[in-house]
Amino acid sequence: MAFSFRRSDFPDDFIFGAATAAYQIEGSSFGGAGPSHWDTFAATPGNVANAETGAVACDHYHRYEEDLDLLRSGGFDAYRFSTSWARVMPDGRNVNPEGLDFYDRLADAVLERGMQPYLTLYHWDLPAALSDLGGWRNRDVASWFADYTKTVMDRIGDRMAAVATINEPWCVTWLSHFWGIHAPGLRDIRAAARSMHHVLLAHARAVEAMRAAGHGNLGIVLNFEHANPASDAAADVAAAARYDGFYNRWFIEAITRKAYPEIILDGFAGHMPNGFEKDMEVIGAPLDWIGVNYYTRSNVAADPEAAWPSLKTVPGPLPKTDMGWEIYPDGLHGFLTRLHRDYTGDTPIIVTENGMAWDDHLVDGRIEDRERIAYFDSHLAAVRGAIADGAPVKGYFGWSLLDNYEWALGYGKRFGMVHVDYDTQKRTPKASFEAFRHAIGGN
Ligand code: FCB
């Protein structure tokens, strides 16, 4: 089964890549990394499926050359990876030279294979020592993050094609401090409000530090989820607007308009850090690109019994992935055109993650992941549609290169274009990987 597009259906300079994240693939027990809040979260009963951790993961720390060879063989132009804060600064302060050496080798290895390195500085591995100090709830996180950013960029910044500060601030904050689903697992509105501001201040201080050091092509990676009212009842429509507010509008409006949406500030009343308004100028400093992660939509209904934001998500009618996520490519088209129209204008947009989990099984040494091929195909059609409608979309990264540690769901959810056997660490490219190779011209 093949894709319905060829590389030539996209603009000449369009970039195809694959994305990963440090904690999900490297193996956090190797190379002198310190514990991150994910190690401690996973070690607490009930937080992660089967109490699985990223201690070994895909052993990418030792196998990165093989993994990059594979990526290159697929014809991909770029590799999006993250550096682990807890690997670079195991106690949150002092540098682990082995950690920086690893990323130095990794950067060279990407370049040696003719690919562009796309760095993400924070994909969720906060050093546990900084979590002890309040992590994202503590305003000082902004200067801690700027220091870490300088440390990483001094070493590898000269070789990065593009740099993102934070991956998915919504997950770092709301999902982790209000819904309690990701580390540190808090369910506290005040923690949510404060972290939602501090994560943006940390982004801003890191950008400031990188600009001062002369680094360019800086961005942030935001995740967007289409908020679909569960019915046309006014209460459900209003609930979906609140969902859109805390999920989709909060971060992009801070960055592009230097203001938070009123409907969310109202809900956070009394919990925002004092004087947060004074930070909005630096938070709104211009960026060179915006990363968009998109997977699904949610069907949102009002829940008047519940405290603010007084809503719940309900199952929808569309076909679902192994995450239970509805497959809704129109949502990607919608966000790409909405960003361009309402927020980012001519600033380049890059789809930094998109993909699906499926219950893949090896049959005679092969994985025929037709569902994943169809998913990628329909979402790449949405990207082409958005480009035709004027959105400056410059690249697309599939999530993910490898099956990996899917956070609170452990190793049970497979998102890779390449299958990983966690007993033997054997990599097997799936049919979706072959489809990319065919469409974008690998060997
Ligand atoms: C995104 C994360 C990524 C991965 C995918 C499935 O929210 O950025 O690490 O878990 O979801």
Side-chain angles (χ1 to χ4, degrees), residues 136-139 173-174 178 188-201 245-246 249-251 253-254 258-280 283 308:
W136 295 103
R137 284 175 294 158
N138 186 335
R139 183 179 171 88
T173 59
W174 191 281
F178 198 43
D188 184 297
I189 191 169
R190 191 170 175 85
R194 301 174 98 76
S195 61
M196 280 172 85
H197 182 64
H198 295 151
V199 75
L200 285 163
L201 187 61
F246 65 67
R249 291 177 53 200
W250 180 269
F251 303 99
E253 293 191 7
K258 303 177 181 168
Y260 293 126
E262 287 296 333
I263 48 167
I264 306 305
L265 271 184
D266 289 349
F268 280 160
H271 298 302
M272 288 293 287
N274 283 335
F276 74 86
E277 297 87 348
K278 292 198 288 292
D279 298 327
M280 300 314 286
I283 287 173
W308 184 88

Short mmCIF file of all heavy atoms in Angstrom, two decimals, residues 136-139 173-174 178 188-201 245-246 249-251 253-254 258-280 283 308:
data_model
loop_
_atom_site.label_atom_id
_atom_site.label_comp_id
_atom_site.label_asym_id
_atom_site.label_seq_id
_atom_site.Cartn_x
_atom_site.Cartn_y
_atom_site.Cartn_z
N TRP A 136 7.82 23.52 37.64
CA TRP A 136 7.17 24.55 36.81
C TRP A 136 6.30 25.50 37.63
O TRP A 136 5.84 26.52 37.13
CB TRP A 136 6.35 23.90 35.69
CG TRP A 136 7.26 23.19 34.74
CD1 TRP A 136 7.48 21.85 34.66
CD2 TRP A 136 8.13 23.80 33.78
NE1 TRP A 136 8.44 21.58 33.71
CE2 TRP A 136 8.84 22.75 33.15
CE3 TRP A 136 8.38 25.12 33.37
CZ2 TRP A 136 9.79 22.99 32.14
CZ3 TRP A 136 9.31 25.36 32.37
CH2 TRP A 136 10.00 24.30 31.77
N ARG A 137 6.08 25.18 38.91
CA ARG A 137 5.31 26.10 39.77
C ARG A 137 6.17 27.23 40.30
O ARG A 137 5.66 28.23 40.79
CB ARG A 137 4.72 25.32 40.95
CG ARG A 137 3.53 24.49 40.57
CD ARG A 137 3.07 23.67 41.75
NE ARG A 137 4.07 22.67 42.13
CZ ARG A 137 4.15 22.11 43.32
NH1 ARG A 137 3.31 22.44 44.28
NH2 ARG A 137 5.07 21.21 43.56
N ASN A 138 7.48 27.02 40.26
CA ASN A 138 8.42 28.00 40.81
C ASN A 138 8.88 28.94 39.69
O ASN A 138 9.40 28.49 38.66
CB ASN A 138 9.62 27.24 41.39
CG ASN A 138 10.58 28.16 42.12
OD1 ASN A 138 10.64 29.36 41.85
ND2 ASN A 138 11.34 27.59 43.05
N ARG A 139 8.70 30.22 39.89
CA ARG A 139 9.10 31.19 38.88
C ARG A 139 10.57 31.07 38.49
O ARG A 139 10.96 31.39 37.37
CB ARG A 139 8.81 32.60 39.43
CG ARG A 139 9.10 33.71 38.46
CD ARG A 139 8.79 35.08 39.05
NE ARG A 139 9.28 36.12 38.15
CZ ARG A 139 8.58 36.63 37.16
NH1 ARG A 139 7.34 36.24 36.95
NH2 ARG A 139 9.12 37.54 36.35
N THR A 173 1.85 21.55 31.47
CA THR A 173 1.14 22.29 32.52
C THR A 173 -0.25 21.72 32.81
O THR A 173 -0.44 21.04 33.80
CB THR A 173 1.06 23.78 32.12
OG1 THR A 173 0.37 23.91 30.87
CG2 THR A 173 2.47 24.36 32.00
N TRP A 174 -1.20 21.96 31.94
CA TRP A 174 -2.59 21.54 32.22
C TRP A 174 -2.69 20.03 32.43
O TRP A 174 -3.26 19.55 33.42
CB TRP A 174 -3.50 21.98 31.05
CG TRP A 174 -4.96 21.84 31.34
CD1 TRP A 174 -5.71 20.69 31.29
CD2 TRP A 174 -5.87 22.88 31.73
NE1 TRP A 174 -7.02 20.94 31.61
CE2 TRP A 174 -7.15 22.29 31.87
CE3 TRP A 174 -5.74 24.25 31.92
CZ2 TRP A 174 -8.28 23.02 32.23
CZ3 TRP A 174 -6.87 24.98 32.28
CH2 TRP A 174 -8.11 24.37 32.44
N PHE A 178 -3.05 19.90 36.33
CA PHE A 178 -4.48 20.09 36.57
C PHE A 178 -5.23 18.78 36.41
O PHE A 178 -6.06 18.41 37.23
CB PHE A 178 -5.02 21.15 35.61
CG PHE A 178 -6.35 21.74 36.03
CD1 PHE A 178 -6.60 22.09 37.34
CD2 PHE A 178 -7.34 21.97 35.09
CE1 PHE A 178 -7.83 22.64 37.73
CE2 PHE A 178 -8.56 22.54 35.46
CZ PHE A 178 -8.81 22.86 36.78
N ASP A 188 -4.39 20.43 40.60
CA ASP A 188 -4.47 21.62 41.43
C ASP A 188 -4.53 22.86 40.53
O ASP A 188 -3.61 23.11 39.75
CB ASP A 188 -3.20 21.66 42.31
CG ASP A 188 -3.23 22.80 43.29
OD1 ASP A 188 -3.25 23.97 42.85
OD2 ASP A 188 -3.21 22.54 44.50
N ILE A 189 -5.61 23.60 40.64
CA ILE A 189 -5.81 24.73 39.72
C ILE A 189 -4.74 25.80 39.88
O ILE A 189 -4.31 26.42 38.90
CB ILE A 189 -7.24 25.33 39.88
CG1 ILE A 189 -7.52 26.30 38.74
CG2 ILE A 189 -7.39 26.00 41.24
CD1 ILE A 189 -8.97 26.74 38.67
N ARG A 190 -4.29 25.99 41.09
CA ARG A 190 -3.27 27.02 41.31
C ARG A 190 -1.93 26.59 40.66
O ARG A 190 -1.26 27.39 40.03
CB ARG A 190 -3.08 27.24 42.81
CG ARG A 190 -2.24 28.46 43.15
CD ARG A 190 -2.32 28.72 44.66
NE ARG A 190 -1.45 29.82 45.06
CZ ARG A 190 -1.79 31.10 45.02
NH1 ARG A 190 -2.99 31.46 44.57
NH2 ARG A 190 -0.94 32.05 45.40
N ALA A 191 -1.60 25.32 40.82
CA ALA A 191 -0.39 24.79 40.17
C ALA A 191 -0.52 24.93 38.65
O ALA A 191 0.45 25.27 37.96
CB ALA A 191 -0.19 23.33 40.55
N ALA A 192 -1.73 24.69 38.14
CA ALA A 192 -1.94 24.79 36.69
C ALA A 192 -1.75 26.23 36.23
O ALA A 192 -1.01 26.50 35.27
CB ALA A 192 -3.34 24.30 36.34
N ALA A 193 -2.40 27.16 36.90
CA ALA A 193 -2.32 28.57 36.48
C ALA A 193 -0.87 29.05 36.50
O ALA A 193 -0.40 29.70 35.56
CB ALA A 193 -3.19 29.43 37.40
N ARG A 194 -0.17 28.73 37.57
CA ARG A 194 1.19 29.23 37.71
C ARG A 194 2.12 28.59 36.69
O ARG A 194 2.93 29.26 36.05
CB ARG A 194 1.68 29.02 39.15
CG ARG A 194 0.76 29.77 40.12
CD ARG A 194 1.07 29.50 41.56
NE ARG A 194 1.88 30.57 42.13
CZ ARG A 194 1.41 31.77 42.47
NH1 ARG A 194 0.12 32.07 42.28
NH2 ARG A 194 2.20 32.66 42.98
N SER A 195 2.02 27.28 36.54
CA SER A 195 2.90 26.61 35.56
C SER A 195 2.59 27.09 34.15
O SER A 195 3.50 27.21 33.32
CB SER A 195 2.77 25.09 35.68
OG SER A 195 1.47 24.66 35.40
N MET A 196 1.32 27.41 33.87
CA MET A 196 0.97 27.86 32.50
C MET A 196 1.58 29.21 32.17
O MET A 196 1.77 29.55 31.01
CB MET A 196 -0.54 27.87 32.30
CG MET A 196 -1.06 26.47 32.01
SD MET A 196 -2.82 26.33 31.98
CE MET A 196 -3.23 26.79 30.30
N HIS A 197 1.87 29.97 33.20
CA HIS A 197 2.59 31.23 32.97
C HIS A 197 4.11 31.00 32.97
O HIS A 197 4.82 31.47 32.09
CB HIS A 197 2.20 32.27 34.03
CG HIS A 197 2.87 33.59 33.81
ND1 HIS A 197 2.62 34.37 32.70
CD2 HIS A 197 3.80 34.26 34.54
CE1 HIS A 197 3.35 35.47 32.76
NE2 HIS A 197 4.09 35.43 33.86
N HIS A 198 4.59 30.25 33.94
CA HIS A 198 6.04 30.06 34.06
C HIS A 198 6.63 29.33 32.87
O HIS A 198 7.77 29.59 32.48
CB HIS A 198 6.36 29.30 35.35
CG HIS A 198 6.01 30.06 36.59
ND1 HIS A 198 5.66 29.47 37.77
CD2 HIS A 198 5.94 31.41 36.82
CE1 HIS A 198 5.41 30.39 38.69
NE2 HIS A 198 5.55 31.58 38.12
N VAL A 199 5.87 28.42 32.26
CA VAL A 199 6.42 27.69 31.12
C VAL A 199 6.68 28.67 29.96
O VAL A 199 7.66 28.53 29.22
CB VAL A 199 5.49 26.52 30.70
CG1 VAL A 199 4.25 27.01 29.97
CG2 VAL A 199 6.25 25.50 29.88
N LEU A 200 5.81 29.67 29.84
CA LEU A 200 6.00 30.66 28.78
C LEU A 200 7.13 31.62 29.12
O LEU A 200 7.89 32.05 28.25
CB LEU A 200 4.69 31.41 28.51
CG LEU A 200 3.68 30.56 27.74
CD1 LEU A 200 2.27 31.13 27.86
CD2 LEU A 200 4.08 30.43 26.27
N LEU A 201 7.25 31.94 30.41
CA LEU A 201 8.38 32.80 30.82
C LEU A 201 9.70 32.06 30.59
O LEU A 201 10.69 32.66 30.13
CB LEU A 201 8.22 33.19 32.30
CG LEU A 201 9.22 34.22 32.81
CD1 LEU A 201 9.11 35.54 32.04
CD2 LEU A 201 9.02 34.46 34.32
N GLY A 245 -10.03 27.42 24.61
CA GLY A 245 -9.30 28.50 25.29
C GLY A 245 -8.09 27.99 26.05
O GLY A 245 -6.98 28.51 25.90
N PHE A 246 -8.28 26.95 26.88
CA PHE A 246 -7.13 26.50 27.67
C PHE A 246 -6.20 25.59 26.88
O PHE A 246 -5.04 25.46 27.23
CB PHE A 246 -7.56 25.86 29.00
CG PHE A 246 -8.36 24.57 28.92
CD1 PHE A 246 -7.78 23.41 28.46
CD2 PHE A 246 -9.69 24.53 29.36
CE1 PHE A 246 -8.52 22.21 28.41
CE2 PHE A 246 -10.42 23.34 29.31
CZ PHE A 246 -9.84 22.18 28.83
N ARG A 249 -5.79 28.27 22.64
CA ARG A 249 -5.57 29.72 22.54
C ARG A 249 -4.53 30.25 23.51
O ARG A 249 -3.82 31.21 23.21
CB ARG A 249 -6.90 30.46 22.77
CG ARG A 249 -7.91 30.25 21.65
CD ARG A 249 -9.24 30.96 21.96
NE ARG A 249 -9.06 32.35 22.28
CZ ARG A 249 -9.95 33.10 22.95
NH1 ARG A 249 -11.09 32.57 23.36
NH2 ARG A 249 -9.70 34.37 23.19
N TRP A 250 -4.47 29.68 24.71
CA TRP A 250 -3.64 30.25 25.79
C TRP A 250 -2.21 30.55 25.32
O TRP A 250 -1.70 31.67 25.47
CB TRP A 250 -3.62 29.28 26.98
CG TRP A 250 -2.81 29.75 28.14
CD1 TRP A 250 -1.48 29.51 28.37
CD2 TRP A 250 -3.28 30.54 29.25
NE1 TRP A 250 -1.10 30.08 29.55
CE2 TRP A 250 -2.18 30.72 30.11
CE3 TRP A 250 -4.52 31.10 29.59
CZ2 TRP A 250 -2.27 31.44 31.31
CZ3 TRP A 250 -4.61 31.81 30.78
CH2 TRP A 250 -3.50 31.98 31.61
N PHE A 251 -1.54 29.57 24.76
CA PHE A 251 -0.10 29.70 24.47
C PHE A 251 0.14 30.55 23.22
O PHE A 251 0.98 31.44 23.23
CB PHE A 251 0.53 28.31 24.34
CG PHE A 251 0.32 27.49 25.60
CD1 PHE A 251 -0.70 26.55 25.68
CD2 PHE A 251 1.10 27.71 26.72
CE1 PHE A 251 -0.92 25.82 26.85
CE2 PHE A 251 0.89 27.00 27.90
CZ PHE A 251 -0.13 26.05 27.96
N GLU A 253 -1.80 32.81 21.90
CA GLU A 253 -2.18 34.22 22.09
C GLU A 253 -1.17 34.95 22.95
O GLU A 253 -0.89 36.13 22.73
CB GLU A 253 -3.61 34.32 22.63
CG GLU A 253 -4.60 33.82 21.59
CD GLU A 253 -6.06 34.12 21.88
OE1 GLU A 253 -6.39 34.84 22.83
OE2 GLU A 253 -6.89 33.60 21.09
N ALA A 254 -0.60 34.26 23.93
CA ALA A 254 0.46 34.89 24.73
C ALA A 254 1.64 35.25 23.83
O ALA A 254 2.19 36.35 23.91
CB ALA A 254 0.92 33.94 25.84
N LYS A 258 0.56 38.82 23.15
CA LYS A 258 1.01 39.27 24.48
C LYS A 258 -0.15 39.36 25.47
O LYS A 258 -0.18 40.22 26.35
CB LYS A 258 1.72 40.63 24.37
CG LYS A 258 2.90 40.58 23.41
CD LYS A 258 3.57 41.92 23.23
CE LYS A 258 4.72 41.77 22.24
NZ LYS A 258 5.29 43.00 21.76
N ALA A 259 -1.11 38.47 25.33
CA ALA A 259 -2.27 38.47 26.23
C ALA A 259 -2.83 37.06 26.32
O ALA A 259 -2.75 36.28 25.37
CB ALA A 259 -3.34 39.41 25.71
N TYR A 260 -3.41 36.74 27.48
CA TYR A 260 -4.09 35.45 27.65
C TYR A 260 -5.57 35.63 27.38
O TYR A 260 -6.14 36.70 27.64
CB TYR A 260 -3.90 34.95 29.08
CG TYR A 260 -2.48 34.57 29.44
CD1 TYR A 260 -1.84 35.11 30.55
CD2 TYR A 260 -1.77 33.64 28.66
CE1 TYR A 260 -0.54 34.75 30.90
CE2 TYR A 260 -0.47 33.29 28.99
CZ TYR A 260 0.14 33.84 30.11
OH TYR A 260 1.43 33.49 30.45
N PRO A 261 -6.25 34.56 26.89
CA PRO A 261 -7.70 34.67 26.65
C PRO A 261 -8.46 34.94 27.96
O PRO A 261 -8.24 34.24 28.95
CB PRO A 261 -8.08 33.31 26.07
CG PRO A 261 -6.86 32.45 26.09
CD PRO A 261 -5.69 33.26 26.49
N GLU A 262 -9.34 35.90 27.91
CA GLU A 262 -10.11 36.29 29.11
C GLU A 262 -10.90 35.13 29.70
O GLU A 262 -10.99 35.00 30.93
CB GLU A 262 -11.08 37.43 28.77
CG GLU A 262 -10.43 38.80 28.55
CD GLU A 262 -9.74 39.35 29.80
OE1 GLU A 262 -10.15 39.00 30.92
OE2 GLU A 262 -8.76 40.12 29.63
N ILE A 263 -11.48 34.28 28.84
CA ILE A 263 -12.34 33.22 29.40
C ILE A 263 -11.54 32.25 30.26
O ILE A 263 -12.09 31.60 31.14
CB ILE A 263 -13.13 32.40 28.35
CG1 ILE A 263 -12.26 31.93 27.19
CG2 ILE A 263 -14.34 33.13 27.84
CD1 ILE A 263 -12.99 30.86 26.35
N ILE A 264 -10.24 32.19 30.06
CA ILE A 264 -9.42 31.31 30.89
C ILE A 264 -8.89 32.08 32.10
O ILE A 264 -8.90 31.58 33.23
CB ILE A 264 -8.28 30.67 30.08
CG1 ILE A 264 -8.85 29.96 28.85
CG2 ILE A 264 -7.47 29.71 30.94
CD1 ILE A 264 -9.93 28.94 29.16
N LEU A 265 -8.45 33.32 31.87
CA LEU A 265 -8.00 34.15 33.01
C LEU A 265 -9.10 34.25 34.06
O LEU A 265 -8.84 34.20 35.26
CB LEU A 265 -7.64 35.55 32.51
CG LEU A 265 -6.20 35.77 32.05
CD1 LEU A 265 -6.02 37.24 31.70
CD2 LEU A 265 -5.19 35.31 33.09
N ASP A 266 -10.35 34.38 33.60
CA ASP A 266 -11.48 34.46 34.54
C ASP A 266 -11.52 33.21 35.43
O ASP A 266 -11.71 33.29 36.63
CB ASP A 266 -12.81 34.57 33.79
CG ASP A 266 -12.97 35.94 33.13
OD1 ASP A 266 -12.15 36.83 33.44
OD2 ASP A 266 -13.89 36.08 32.29
N GLY A 267 -11.33 32.05 34.80
CA GLY A 267 -11.38 30.80 35.55
C GLY A 267 -10.21 30.65 36.51
O GLY A 267 -10.32 30.01 37.55
N PHE A 268 -9.07 31.25 36.16
CA PHE A 268 -7.87 31.19 36.99
C PHE A 268 -7.83 32.29 38.05
O PHE A 268 -6.85 32.39 38.79
CB PHE A 268 -6.61 31.34 36.13
CG PHE A 268 -6.18 30.08 35.42
CD1 PHE A 268 -5.35 30.15 34.30
CD2 PHE A 268 -6.58 28.83 35.88
CE1 PHE A 268 -4.93 29.00 33.66
CE2 PHE A 268 -6.15 27.67 35.23
CZ PHE A 268 -5.32 27.75 34.11
N ALA A 269 -8.88 33.09 38.12
CA ALA A 269 -8.86 34.28 38.97
C ALA A 269 -8.29 33.96 40.35
O ALA A 269 -8.69 32.99 41.00
CB ALA A 269 -10.28 34.82 39.12
N GLY A 270 -7.35 34.78 40.80
CA GLY A 270 -6.77 34.59 42.13
C GLY A 270 -5.60 33.62 42.16
O GLY A 270 -4.90 33.54 43.16
N HIS A 271 -5.39 32.88 41.08
CA HIS A 271 -4.33 31.87 41.09
C HIS A 271 -3.14 32.22 40.22
O HIS A 271 -2.09 31.58 40.32
CB HIS A 271 -4.89 30.52 40.64
CG HIS A 271 -5.97 30.01 41.55
ND1 HIS A 271 -5.76 29.81 42.90
CD2 HIS A 271 -7.27 29.71 41.31
CE1 HIS A 271 -6.88 29.38 43.45
NE2 HIS A 271 -7.81 29.32 42.51
N MET A 272 -3.29 33.22 39.37
CA MET A 272 -2.16 33.60 38.52
C MET A 272 -1.07 34.25 39.38
O MET A 272 -1.37 34.89 40.39
CB MET A 272 -2.62 34.58 37.44
CG MET A 272 -3.47 33.95 36.35
SD MET A 272 -2.55 32.77 35.34
CE MET A 272 -1.51 33.88 34.36
N PRO A 273 0.20 34.11 38.99
CA PRO A 273 1.26 34.78 39.76
C PRO A 273 1.05 36.30 39.74
O PRO A 273 0.65 36.86 38.71
CB PRO A 273 2.54 34.42 38.99
CG PRO A 273 2.17 33.31 38.06
CD PRO A 273 0.70 33.38 37.82
N ASN A 274 1.30 36.94 40.88
CA ASN A 274 1.17 38.41 40.94
C ASN A 274 2.04 39.09 39.90
O ASN A 274 3.19 38.72 39.73
CB ASN A 274 1.61 38.92 42.32
CG ASN A 274 0.55 38.65 43.35
OD1 ASN A 274 -0.63 38.53 43.01
ND2 ASN A 274 0.97 38.53 44.60
N GLY A 275 1.47 40.06 39.23
CA GLY A 275 2.26 40.87 38.29
C GLY A 275 2.64 40.14 37.01
O GLY A 275 3.56 40.56 36.31
N PHE A 276 1.91 39.08 36.70
CA PHE A 276 2.28 38.31 35.49
C PHE A 276 2.24 39.18 34.23
O PHE A 276 2.97 38.93 33.27
CB PHE A 276 1.37 37.09 35.34
CG PHE A 276 -0.03 37.41 34.87
CD1 PHE A 276 -0.31 37.50 33.52
CD2 PHE A 276 -1.06 37.63 35.79
CE1 PHE A 276 -1.60 37.82 33.08
CE2 PHE A 276 -2.34 37.94 35.35
CZ PHE A 276 -2.62 38.04 34.01
N GLU A 277 1.38 40.24 34.28
CA GLU A 277 1.22 41.09 33.09
C GLU A 277 2.55 41.68 32.63
O GLU A 277 2.77 41.89 31.44
CB GLU A 277 0.24 42.23 33.36
CG GLU A 277 -1.19 41.80 33.69
CD GLU A 277 -1.41 41.53 35.18
OE1 GLU A 277 -0.41 41.46 35.93
OE2 GLU A 277 -2.58 41.35 35.57
N LYS A 278 3.43 41.91 33.59
CA LYS A 278 4.72 42.54 33.24
C LYS A 278 5.61 41.61 32.41
O LYS A 278 6.56 42.07 31.79
CB LYS A 278 5.48 42.94 34.53
CG LYS A 278 4.80 44.07 35.31
CD LYS A 278 5.78 44.71 36.30
CE LYS A 278 6.09 43.82 37.48
NZ LYS A 278 4.93 43.60 38.41
N ASP A 279 5.31 40.33 32.42
CA ASP A 279 6.13 39.38 31.65
C ASP A 279 5.66 39.23 30.20
O ASP A 279 6.35 38.59 29.39
CB ASP A 279 6.07 37.98 32.30
CG ASP A 279 6.62 37.96 33.72
OD1 ASP A 279 7.57 38.73 33.99
OD2 ASP A 279 6.10 37.18 34.54
N MET A 280 4.48 39.80 29.89
CA MET A 280 3.90 39.48 28.59
C MET A 280 4.70 40.04 27.42
O MET A 280 4.70 39.48 26.32
CB MET A 280 2.44 39.95 28.51
CG MET A 280 1.51 39.32 29.56
SD MET A 280 1.67 37.52 29.74
CE MET A 280 0.86 36.94 28.25
N ILE A 283 7.43 37.54 26.72
CA ILE A 283 6.82 36.30 26.23
C ILE A 283 6.41 36.45 24.77
O ILE A 283 6.45 35.49 24.00
CB ILE A 283 5.62 35.91 27.13
CG1 ILE A 283 6.13 35.38 28.48
CG2 ILE A 283 4.72 34.88 26.45
CD1 ILE A 283 5.05 35.12 29.52
N TRP A 308 -15.19 24.72 37.63
CA TRP A 308 -14.63 25.27 36.40
C TRP A 308 -13.46 24.42 35.92
O TRP A 308 -12.66 24.02 36.77
CB TRP A 308 -14.15 26.72 36.67
CG TRP A 308 -13.66 27.39 35.42
CD1 TRP A 308 -14.38 28.09 34.52
CD2 TRP A 308 -12.30 27.39 34.93
NE1 TRP A 308 -13.58 28.53 33.48
CE2 TRP A 308 -12.29 28.10 33.72
CE3 TRP A 308 -11.10 26.83 35.38
CZ2 TRP A 308 -11.14 28.29 32.96
CZ3 TRP A 308 -9.94 27.01 34.62
CH2 TRP A 308 -9.98 27.74 33.43
#
